[in-house]
């Protein structure tokens, strides 16, 4: 267990995550592929927001089941509440400070094929 700090590019959005960063996943869905988002799935209790959630901008579309949080100033996507696992939070591993992503196991999520029954 370790506490990682992270945030957006301009520094307006800052957070800490306590956990083990041993697995990340890229996703081929329409937004992750364009944003270059790398998912680190955590429990909400592992996340400590140093910037209030209300200060982040939110993007939702389609079923509105997924919420995408990004910095309103620099536009960097930092956190998600994923549609596939609504009880979890996805941290953009690219926004975690001082880590070597090349040393973290990288998986692949087929988000493009994922759909909920009500879609
Ligand atoms: Zn920013």
């Amino acid at each position: 267990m370790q506490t990682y700090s992270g945030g957006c590019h301009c520094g307006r959005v800052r957070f800490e995550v306590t956990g083990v960063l041993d697995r990340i996943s890229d996703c081929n869905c329409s937004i992750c592929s364009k944003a270059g988002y790398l998912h680190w799935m955590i429990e909400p209790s592992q996340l400590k927001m140093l910037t209030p959630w209300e200060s982040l901008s939110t993007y939702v579309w389609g079923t509105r089941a997924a919420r995408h949080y990004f910095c309103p100033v620099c536009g960097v996507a930092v956190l998600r509440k994923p549609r596939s696992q609504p009880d979890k939070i996805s941290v953009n591993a690219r926004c975690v400070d001082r880590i070597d992503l090349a040393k973290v196991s990288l998986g692949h999520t087929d988000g493009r094929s994922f759909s909920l029954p009500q879609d």
Side-chain angles (χ1 to χ4, degrees), residues 53-96:
W53 282 104
E54 309 81 71
S55 299
L56 280 66
S57 291
T58 313
Y59 178 54
V60 294
W61 83 100
T63 61
R64 305 180 72 84
R67 302 187 75 81
H68 302 256
Y69 294 91
F70 60 97
C71 173
V73 178
C74 68
V76 169
V78 286
L79 298 162
R80 299 222 165 132
K81 291 186 179 169
R83 193 166 62 131
S84 57
Q85 298 178 68
D87 54 329
K88 297 265 172 67
I89 287 177
S90 164
V91 176
N92 186 357
R94 294 192 189 277
C95 293
V96 178

Side-chain angles (χ1 to χ4, degrees), residues 41-59:
M41 300 299 275
I42 62 165
E43 301 291 333
S45 60
Q46 292 177 258
L47 176 69
K48 180 181 174 191
M49 291 302 287
L50 305 178
T51 304
W53 282 104
E54 309 81 71
S55 299
L56 280 66
S57 291
T58 313
Y59 178 54

Side-chain angles (χ1 to χ4, degrees), residues 8-10 71 74:
C8 67
H9 185 264
C10 73
C71 173
C74 68

